[in-house]
């Protein structure tokens, strides 16, 4: 074994996904010497197997729906088919451009990249390809993998999002195990591509982490789109043969399809990486840190999906930046988890930030909370887009807005304003005083706050 790196780096980052590469880029920007160790491709899950490819598929799906629905707008279009090779070529070209850009950025910041799977062998050292890479600080960002259920083997027609993103054909039918963000996004894409889709969700609702009002509206719209779902029921087993998959549920029902997509969550990639041997505390595989993302061991920090909480790329970015700044002595503000926006990019989209009504009541007391729903029916741009949905605001009585929850086409693009409102602890009157452009969907946020401030314009008192 050799130590080819000579002196120690200021930071050694293990894993080049959203969390890891953000830490590396920010560290280098702050003048620190950085080693980035990546076993596969920098960019990680989000760029190669997550956010970007799914959103490309969802965009293609939207085009398919537009082609199908042209007549509604007086445009004579027709959907004649989905060419998955073409869809994949488009998707891969988006990934390719972003990947190239990221590699260029990493190079230009003079980050030393080690290609290979690393292992923590001392509190300040990662071993990769037989080399020992030492750092005054170590940042763990090894990410997550698609989980399955005990006894449910991923093989053949039983797939996870990893295989689903690479399908070179459109299945006739699919069963999706899990109605969370990933399951719902695939359900949406496949339905738009003409697949007969059935979701199985053990919890009482689809997108079960959202405010219940949003989950219910989401279910109504999915039902209207002809997406089938079974709620509050557990999967009990699957067999597969040449004709397809045969899934049985605990309530005795069975369903058959071409494919079973397992979307039951993502587990932390922390096994056999030397973390526990170096004294790091793991809880069900997740790395436990304090609010400054320090593991309590040496100068070791953790970022991204291996840290318990929302498994989102922008949380990883924020955590990576935070840790780099912490190491550089900038004493950054800890990240407030509830201030992180969450978007499900299906049709309809769901976007939220802050506390749900139920959570706000738990935190502040049921009597201290007021809510308001503003229907997109009163919003000109939403009518033009022929979308349905609403904005639900949650506020402390006589206090700031603590939650913004939205459903409808393109509401993901509105969450930027929502997050400013919640994180800057704005009062409805503060937002009501700001002029929103007409006709935009954004205007619906302005109108909702006007209504909450007691002076609705395009809504009833
Ligand atoms: C289908 C899907 C859709 C998603 N859509 C969205 C979305 O729209 N928006 C959003 O915010 N989030 C989305 N996510 C979640 C997002 O991808 C993750 O939250 C994010 O990638 C986490 O970043 P990370 O840095 O923690 O880990 P990862 O991105 O998983 O990166 C970890 C990296 O570490 C590398 N690695 C692991 N072990 C080692 C080792 N021992 N040595 C060297 N390298 C190693 C891996 O190869 C990988 O590149 C989606 C996820 C999936 C699966």
């Amino acid at each position: 074994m050799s130590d080819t790196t000579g002196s120690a780096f200021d930071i050694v980052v293990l894993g080049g996904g959203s969390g890891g590469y953000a830490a590396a880029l920010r560290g280098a920007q702050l003048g620190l010497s950085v080693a980035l160790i990546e076993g596969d491709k920098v960019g990680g899950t989000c760029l190669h197997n997550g956010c970007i490819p799914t959103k490309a598929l969802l965009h293609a799906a939207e085009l398919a729906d537009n082609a199908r629905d042209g007549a509604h707008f007086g445009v004579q279009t027709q959907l004649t088919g989905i060419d998955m090779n073409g869809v994949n070529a488009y998707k891969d070209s988006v990934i390719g451009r972003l990947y190239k850009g990221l590699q260029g950025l990493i190079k230009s910041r003079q980050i030393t990249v080690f290609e290979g799977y690393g292992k923590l062998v001392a509190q300040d050292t990662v071993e990769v390809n037989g080399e020992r890479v030492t750092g005054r600080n170590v940042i763990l960002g090894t990410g997550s993998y698609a989980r399955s259920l005990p006894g449910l083997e991923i093989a053949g027609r039983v797939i996870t999002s990893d295989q689903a993103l690479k399908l070179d054909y459109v299945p006739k039918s699919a069963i999706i195990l899990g109605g969370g963000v990933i399951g719902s996004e695939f359900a949406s894409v496949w339905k738009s591509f003409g697949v007969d889709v059935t979701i199985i969700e053990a919890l009482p609702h689809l997108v079960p982490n959202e405010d219940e009002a949003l989950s219910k509206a989401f279910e109504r719209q999915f039902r209207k789109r002809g997406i089938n779902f079974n709620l509050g029921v557990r999967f009990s087993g699957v067999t597969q043969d040449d004709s397809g998959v045969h899934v049985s549920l605990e309530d005795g029902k069975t369903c058959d399809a071409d494919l079973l997509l397992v979307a039951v969550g993502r587990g932390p990639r922390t096994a056999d990486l030397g973390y526990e041997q170096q004294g790091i505390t793991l809880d069900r595989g997740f790395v436990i840190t304090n609010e400054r993302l320090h593991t309590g061991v040496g100068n070791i920090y953790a970022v991204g999906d291996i840290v318990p909480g929302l498994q989102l790329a922008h949380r990883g970015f924020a955590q990576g930046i935070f840790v780099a700044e912490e190491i550089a002595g900038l004493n950054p503000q800890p990240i407030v988890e509830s201030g992180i926006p969450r978007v499900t990019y299906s049709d309809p989209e769901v976007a939220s930030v802050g506390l749900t009504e139920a959570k706000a009541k738990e935190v502040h007391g049921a009597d201290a909370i007021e809510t308001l729903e503003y229907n997109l029916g009163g919003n000109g741009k939403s009518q033009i887009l022929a979308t349905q949905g609403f904005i639900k605001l949650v506020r402390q009585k006589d206090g700031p807005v603590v939650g913004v929850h939205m459903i409808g086409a393109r509401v993901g693009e509105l969450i930027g304003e929502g997050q400013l409102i919640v994180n800057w602890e704005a009062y409805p009157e503060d937002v009501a005083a700001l002029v929103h452009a007409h006709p935009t969907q954004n205007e619906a946020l302005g109108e909702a706050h006007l209504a909450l401030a007691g002076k609705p314009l395009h809504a009833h008192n």
Side-chain angles (χ1 to χ4, degrees), residues 81-342:
I82 305 291
D83 163 20
M84 272 319 286
N85 290 327
V87 171
N88 286 330
Y90 147 70
K91 176 193 74 170
D92 293 341
S93 73
V94 175
I95 296 171
R97 275 195 302 278
L98 291 170
Y99 182 40
K100 213 166 157 202
L102 179 62
Q103 286 172 304
L105 207 57
I106 288 170
K107 202 167 168 200
S108 74
R109 299 248 174 114
Q110 287 161 7
I111 293 164
T112 308
V113 177
F114 292 82
E115 291 177 3
Y117 283 96
K119 191 168 175 172
L120 194 66
V121 292
Q123 288 184 4
D124 61 355
T125 306
V126 174
E127 189 186 308
V128 53
N129 300 330
E131 285 184 48
R132 290 172 71 87
V133 185
T134 300
R136 279 178 274 280
N137 300 276
V138 173
I139 303 176
L140 308 175
T142 43
S144 61
Y145 64 92
R147 271 198 296 134
S148 186
L149 298 176
L152 177 56
E153 196 199 342
I154 305 299
R157 294 174 181 272
V158 180
I159 63 175
T160 69
S161 59
D162 292 337
Q163 293 83 37
L165 285 169
K166 296 189 167 58
L167 283 187
D168 58 3
Y169 66 98
V170 179
K172 277 202 173 54
S173 55
I175 298 169
I176 300 178
L177 193 54
V181 179
I182 293 176
S184 296
E185 289 189 352
F186 274 102
S188 190
V189 168
W190 280 342
K191 186 68 198 177
S192 299
F193 285 176
V195 181
D196 184 10
V197 179
T198 303
I199 304 173
I200 298 162
E201 169 58 59
L203 292 172
H205 288 296
L206 297 180
V207 287
N209 295 329
E210 296 294 343
D211 190 285
E212 200 177 13
L214 256 60
S215 294
K216 285 182 173 166
F218 187 77
E219 287 159 16
R220 277 196 298 278
Q221 294 207 32
F222 258 27
R223 198 173 292 123
K224 225 164 117 186
R225 290 189 60 195
I227 295 172
N228 310 304
F229 47 87
N230 294 282
L231 302 177
V233 60
R234 287 178 173 281
F235 159 93
S236 72
V238 62
T239 57
Q240 56 175 304
D241 53 35
D242 286 350
S243 73
V245 288
H246 314 288
V247 174
S248 48
L249 307 181
E250 277 185 358
D251 64 4
K253 265 198 211 155
T254 56
C255 19
D256 306 309
D258 287 347
L259 289 176
L260 173 65
L261 169 65
V262 180
V264 293
R266 296 187 57 85
R269 271 175 76 170
T270 53
D272 306 322
L273 296 180
Y275 294 179
E276 280 163 304
Q277 287 85 336
Q278 299 309 321
I280 292 170
T281 307
L282 299 186
D283 177 10
R284 280 161 285 179
F286 287 97
V287 175
I288 300 306
T289 70
N290 63 14
E291 67 165 4
R292 307 200 73 78
L293 300 171
H294 188 256
T295 60
V297 174
N299 290 329
I300 305 178
Y301 298 82
V303 294
D305 283 6
I306 60 172
V307 180
L310 293 168
Q311 291 176 313
L312 292 171
H314 43 284
R315 172 179 178 263
F317 295 144
Q319 291 182 334
I321 293 168
F322 174 92
V323 170
E325 293 184 352
E326 177 83 347
I327 289 169
L330 300 186
N331 197 26
Q333 285 290 319
I335 298 160
V336 180
E337 189 88 3
S338 68
I340 297 172
R342 315 168 285 262

Side-chain angles (χ1 to χ4, degrees), residues 13-35:
V13 184
L14 183 59
S18 309
Y21 86 66
L25 289 175
R26 184 67 181 130
Q29 198 173 49
L30 291 167
L32 303 172
S33 61
V34 180

